[in-house]
Amino acid sequence: MERRVRVYEVGPRDGLQNEATPISTADKLRYADLLAAAGLREIEVTSFVSPRAVPQLADADELLAGLPRRPGVRYPVLVPNARGLERAAAAGADALAVFTAASSAFTRRNIAMTVDESLAAFAPILGRAGRLGWWRRGYVSTAFGCPYTGRVDPRSAVDVARRLLEIGAEEVCFGDTIGVAVPDQVSELTAIAVDAGIPLDRIAYHFHDTRGTALANVAAGLAGGVRCFDASSGGTGGCPYAPGAAGNLATEDLVYFLDASGWQHGVSLDGVLTAARFVAGVLGRPLATKVGQAGGWDPASGAATGRS
Ligand code: HMG
Ligand code: MG
């Protein structure tokens, strides 16, 4: 069986959304292009949300319209409502992600709707995006734990995922928004999703590395048959409406792990490190991820690779 995995980059969106320092559109465009140059084929570039909710991404229209699109690269954008869909369409989008959660306490703060209300609101958006021929993802945040109500029953996360697929999402992505999951819980969630009839090739995982469990969780996801994992180059990320949400799993850490484990993904570690260093420079701080600091490793010589 082919050992192939999709690495879905969220650095320009999740990575930057919580950053207080204003970043220029030109730097964001350069960052997205460095990621594409590194071989990433799915790059979530921005969000068409309220600029009041996420000021950092207020330039979504200009950014998407000005993006140099490389052939074969998908550039999904987050869309919370019909207004977001119109803006995304006008800027030339052809892939979107809607985002709800397993807990209404979170969705109320994040998008001012309960989970049920969000699914009702997303049905026409996914329907319209489908008619436009766009690729469509649905996020299930707080799939393992909610910052407001605590432990989440995996069956309720799977139920939301099933409903997202019913209303037109092509893929569901379970988010460990505040980074509390451990591998056994990932295995359990995957098994419950499969039992509920969700095909493995329509499942993705999005781990925040808040407590250092993200790569272990990827290993559990792979063992369960999931083949798409989100990551953010430089390990940036966090949701402004999820207190305690730290960075996403770093793309460079994920790529090192996949390479050394013999998984194919088409992403160059050196290329990701270049993008990660660029974004760290823009944010004015050192690159603090594990592989960002140590570099890769050449088993033939024993030397570290890709260090600046
Ligand atoms: P609301 O206040 O209920 O909506 O917010 P509203 O319709 O009353 O609008 C409020 C204001 O926003 C109005 O402007 C609207 O015009 C404007 P005002 O009259 O006050 O000047 N507005 C918009 N402007 C531009 N584009 C739009 C838009 N919609 C309304 N699309 C709303 C509801 C959903 C809009 C808001 O709560 C929102 O934008 N939320 C987004 C929050 C967000 O982006 N969170 C982070 C992403 S989720 C995440 O990070 C988790 C994830 O990574 C997975 C994981 O880790 O688990 C995906
Ligand atoms: Mg996230």
Side-chain angles (χ1 to χ4, degrees), residues 58-74:
D59 62 350
D61 313 74
E62 193 189 341
L63 179 111
L64 191 64
L67 190 69
R69 281 155 186 270
R70 296 193 182 215
V73 181
R74 178 181 283 155

PDB file of all heavy atoms in Angstrom, residues 58-74:
ATOM      1  N   ALA A  58      -7.813  41.063   8.205  1.00  0.00           N
ATOM      2  CA  ALA A  58      -8.735  42.023   7.581  1.00  0.00           C
ATOM      3  C   ALA A  58      -8.397  42.277   6.113  1.00  0.00           C
ATOM      4  O   ALA A  58      -9.233  42.788   5.359  1.00  0.00           O
ATOM      5  CB  ALA A  58      -8.712  43.342   8.353  1.00  0.00           C
ATOM      6  N   ASP A  59      -7.182  41.896   5.696  1.00  0.00           N
ATOM      7  CA  ASP A  59      -6.773  42.122   4.299  1.00  0.00           C
ATOM      8  C   ASP A  59      -7.051  40.912   3.402  1.00  0.00           C
ATOM      9  O   ASP A  59      -6.435  40.770   2.336  1.00  0.00           O
ATOM     10  CB  ASP A  59      -5.272  42.462   4.244  1.00  0.00           C
ATOM     11  CG  ASP A  59      -4.408  41.306   4.764  1.00  0.00           C
ATOM     12  OD1 ASP A  59      -4.971  40.336   5.330  1.00  0.00           O
ATOM     13  OD2 ASP A  59      -3.178  41.367   4.609  1.00  0.00           O
ATOM     14  N   ALA A  60      -7.974  40.040   3.822  1.00  0.00           N
ATOM     15  CA  ALA A  60      -8.220  38.789   3.077  1.00  0.00           C
ATOM     16  C   ALA A  60      -8.538  39.035   1.603  1.00  0.00           C
ATOM     17  O   ALA A  60      -8.053  38.314   0.725  1.00  0.00           O
ATOM     18  CB  ALA A  60      -9.361  38.010   3.741  1.00  0.00           C
ATOM     19  N   ASP A  61      -9.340  40.084   1.326  1.00  0.00           N
ATOM     20  CA  ASP A  61      -9.776  40.335  -0.063  1.00  0.00           C
ATOM     21  C   ASP A  61      -8.562  40.634  -0.943  1.00  0.00           C
ATOM     22  O   ASP A  61      -8.366  40.033  -2.006  1.00  0.00           O
ATOM     23  CB  ASP A  61     -10.751  41.521  -0.091  1.00  0.00           C
ATOM     24  CG  ASP A  61     -11.815  41.405   0.984  1.00  0.00           C
ATOM     25  OD1 ASP A  61     -11.478  41.636   2.171  1.00  0.00           O
ATOM     26  OD2 ASP A  61     -12.971  41.059   0.668  1.00  0.00           O
ATOM     27  N   GLU A  62      -7.743  41.568  -0.479  1.00  0.00           N
ATOM     28  CA  GLU A  62      -6.548  41.984  -1.212  1.00  0.00           C
ATOM     29  C   GLU A  62      -5.555  40.819  -1.316  1.00  0.00           C
ATOM     30  O   GLU A  62      -4.941  40.585  -2.360  1.00  0.00           O
ATOM     31  CB  GLU A  62      -5.935  43.135  -0.398  1.00  0.00           C
ATOM     32  CG  GLU A  62      -4.878  43.928  -1.072  1.00  0.00           C
ATOM     33  CD  GLU A  62      -4.219  44.872  -0.046  1.00  0.00           C
ATOM     34  OE1 GLU A  62      -4.814  45.158   1.030  1.00  0.00           O
ATOM     35  OE2 GLU A  62      -3.090  45.307  -0.331  1.00  0.00           O
ATOM     36  N   LEU A  63      -5.417  40.095  -0.212  1.00  0.00           N
ATOM     37  CA  LEU A  63      -4.457  39.003  -0.183  1.00  0.00           C
ATOM     38  C   LEU A  63      -4.819  37.923  -1.199  1.00  0.00           C
ATOM     39  O   LEU A  63      -3.991  37.529  -2.026  1.00  0.00           O
ATOM     40  CB  LEU A  63      -4.400  38.385   1.220  1.00  0.00           C
ATOM     41  CG  LEU A  63      -3.430  37.208   1.290  1.00  0.00           C
ATOM     42  CD1 LEU A  63      -2.215  37.545   2.136  1.00  0.00           C
ATOM     43  CD2 LEU A  63      -4.076  35.960   1.784  1.00  0.00           C
ATOM     44  N   LEU A  64      -6.061  37.465  -1.161  1.00  0.00           N
ATOM     45  CA  LEU A  64      -6.425  36.359  -2.062  1.00  0.00           C
ATOM     46  C   LEU A  64      -6.386  36.810  -3.512  1.00  0.00           C
ATOM     47  O   LEU A  64      -5.900  36.088  -4.386  1.00  0.00           O
ATOM     48  CB  LEU A  64      -7.807  35.794  -1.704  1.00  0.00           C
ATOM     49  CG  LEU A  64      -8.136  34.487  -2.417  1.00  0.00           C
ATOM     50  CD1 LEU A  64      -7.182  33.368  -1.987  1.00  0.00           C
ATOM     51  CD2 LEU A  64      -9.570  34.065  -2.156  1.00  0.00           C
ATOM     52  N   ALA A  65      -6.856  38.029  -3.766  1.00  0.00           N
ATOM     53  CA  ALA A  65      -6.856  38.526  -5.145  1.00  0.00           C
ATOM     54  C   ALA A  65      -5.427  38.678  -5.666  1.00  0.00           C
ATOM     55  O   ALA A  65      -5.176  38.499  -6.858  1.00  0.00           O
ATOM     56  CB  ALA A  65      -7.614  39.847  -5.218  1.00  0.00           C
ATOM     57  N   GLY A  66      -4.483  38.972  -4.782  1.00  0.00           N
ATOM     58  CA  GLY A  66      -3.102  39.213  -5.219  1.00  0.00           C
ATOM     59  C   GLY A  66      -2.213  37.985  -5.147  1.00  0.00           C
ATOM     60  O   GLY A  66      -1.016  38.069  -5.448  1.00  0.00           O
ATOM     61  N   LEU A  67      -2.774  36.863  -4.728  1.00  0.00           N
ATOM     62  CA  LEU A  67      -1.954  35.669  -4.511  1.00  0.00           C
ATOM     63  C   LEU A  67      -1.452  35.086  -5.828  1.00  0.00           C
ATOM     64  O   LEU A  67      -2.250  34.816  -6.725  1.00  0.00           O
ATOM     65  CB  LEU A  67      -2.826  34.629  -3.794  1.00  0.00           C
ATOM     66  CG  LEU A  67      -2.152  33.389  -3.247  1.00  0.00           C
ATOM     67  CD1 LEU A  67      -1.258  33.736  -2.075  1.00  0.00           C
ATOM     68  CD2 LEU A  67      -3.221  32.386  -2.806  1.00  0.00           C
ATOM     69  N   PRO A  68      -0.140  34.896  -5.977  1.00  0.00           N
ATOM     70  CA  PRO A  68       0.341  34.214  -7.180  1.00  0.00           C
ATOM     71  C   PRO A  68       0.051  32.723  -7.036  1.00  0.00           C
ATOM     72  O   PRO A  68       0.674  32.044  -6.231  1.00  0.00           O
ATOM     73  CB  PRO A  68       1.846  34.506  -7.172  1.00  0.00           C
ATOM     74  CG  PRO A  68       2.183  34.890  -5.779  1.00  0.00           C
ATOM     75  CD  PRO A  68       0.927  35.200  -5.024  1.00  0.00           C
ATOM     76  N   ARG A  69      -0.938  32.230  -7.762  1.00  0.00           N
ATOM     77  CA  ARG A  69      -1.350  30.833  -7.587  1.00  0.00           C
ATOM     78  C   ARG A  69      -0.480  29.900  -8.387  1.00  0.00           C
ATOM     79  O   ARG A  69      -0.337  30.068  -9.583  1.00  0.00           O
ATOM     80  CB  ARG A  69      -2.804  30.681  -8.057  1.00  0.00           C
ATOM     81  CG  ARG A  69      -3.774  31.164  -7.050  1.00  0.00           C
ATOM     82  CD  ARG A  69      -5.045  31.562  -7.759  1.00  0.00           C
ATOM     83  NE  ARG A  69      -5.937  32.154  -6.804  1.00  0.00           N
ATOM     84  CZ  ARG A  69      -6.827  31.464  -6.107  1.00  0.00           C
ATOM     85  NH1 ARG A  69      -6.958  30.188  -6.290  1.00  0.00           N
ATOM     86  NH2 ARG A  69      -7.573  32.082  -5.239  1.00  0.00           N
ATOM     87  N   ARG A  70       0.054  28.939  -7.701  1.00  0.00           N
ATOM     88  CA  ARG A  70       0.845  27.935  -8.406  1.00  0.00           C
ATOM     89  C   ARG A  70      -0.060  26.783  -8.834  1.00  0.00           C
ATOM     90  O   ARG A  70      -0.930  26.378  -8.066  1.00  0.00           O
ATOM     91  CB  ARG A  70       1.943  27.401  -7.495  1.00  0.00           C
ATOM     92  CG  ARG A  70       2.942  28.475  -7.126  1.00  0.00           C
ATOM     93  CD  ARG A  70       4.158  27.852  -6.517  1.00  0.00           C
ATOM     94  NE  ARG A  70       5.096  28.898  -6.129  1.00  0.00           N
ATOM     95  CZ  ARG A  70       6.409  28.764  -6.207  1.00  0.00           C
ATOM     96  NH1 ARG A  70       6.945  27.647  -6.650  1.00  0.00           N
ATOM     97  NH2 ARG A  70       7.196  29.748  -5.832  1.00  0.00           N
ATOM     98  N   PRO A  71       0.149  26.241 -10.018  1.00  0.00           N
ATOM     99  CA  PRO A  71      -0.682  25.126 -10.476  1.00  0.00           C
ATOM    100  C   PRO A  71      -0.573  23.949  -9.513  1.00  0.00           C
ATOM    101  O   PRO A  71       0.498  23.671  -8.984  1.00  0.00           O
ATOM    102  CB  PRO A  71      -0.089  24.755 -11.842  1.00  0.00           C
ATOM    103  CG  PRO A  71       0.888  25.822 -12.193  1.00  0.00           C
ATOM    104  CD  PRO A  71       1.183  26.635 -10.983  1.00  0.00           C
ATOM    105  N   GLY A  72      -1.706  23.318  -9.281  1.00  0.00           N
ATOM    106  CA  GLY A  72      -1.696  22.132  -8.420  1.00  0.00           C
ATOM    107  C   GLY A  72      -1.755  22.448  -6.933  1.00  0.00           C
ATOM    108  O   GLY A  72      -1.753  21.542  -6.109  1.00  0.00           O
ATOM    109  N   VAL A  73      -1.806  23.738  -6.576  1.00  0.00           N
ATOM    110  CA  VAL A  73      -1.890  24.102  -5.156  1.00  0.00           C
ATOM    111  C   VAL A  73      -3.308  24.572  -4.850  1.00  0.00           C
ATOM    112  O   VAL A  73      -3.882  25.371  -5.582  1.00  0.00           O
ATOM    113  CB  VAL A  73      -0.882  25.221  -4.790  1.00  0.00           C
ATOM    114  CG1 VAL A  73      -0.969  25.552  -3.303  1.00  0.00           C
ATOM    115  CG2 VAL A  73       0.527  24.810  -5.177  1.00  0.00           C
ATOM    116  N   ARG A  74      -3.849  24.060  -3.757  1.00  0.00           N
ATOM    117  CA  ARG A  74      -5.183  24.474  -3.299  1.00  0.00           C
ATOM    118  C   ARG A  74      -4.982  25.504  -2.188  1.00  0.00           C
ATOM    119  O   ARG A  74      -4.151  25.311  -1.299  1.00  0.00           O
ATOM    120  CB  ARG A  74      -5.882  23.224  -2.771  1.00  0.00           C
ATOM    121  CG  ARG A  74      -7.248  23.438  -2.214  1.00  0.00           C
ATOM    122  CD  ARG A  74      -7.800  22.114  -1.697  1.00  0.00           C
ATOM    123  NE  ARG A  74      -8.264  21.235  -2.739  1.00  0.00           N
ATOM    124  CZ  ARG A  74      -8.344  19.895  -2.639  1.00  0.00           C
ATOM    125  NH1 ARG A  74      -7.965  19.290  -1.531  1.00  0.00           N
ATOM    126  NH2 ARG A  74      -8.793  19.183  -3.644  1.00  0.00           N
TER     127      ARG A  74
END
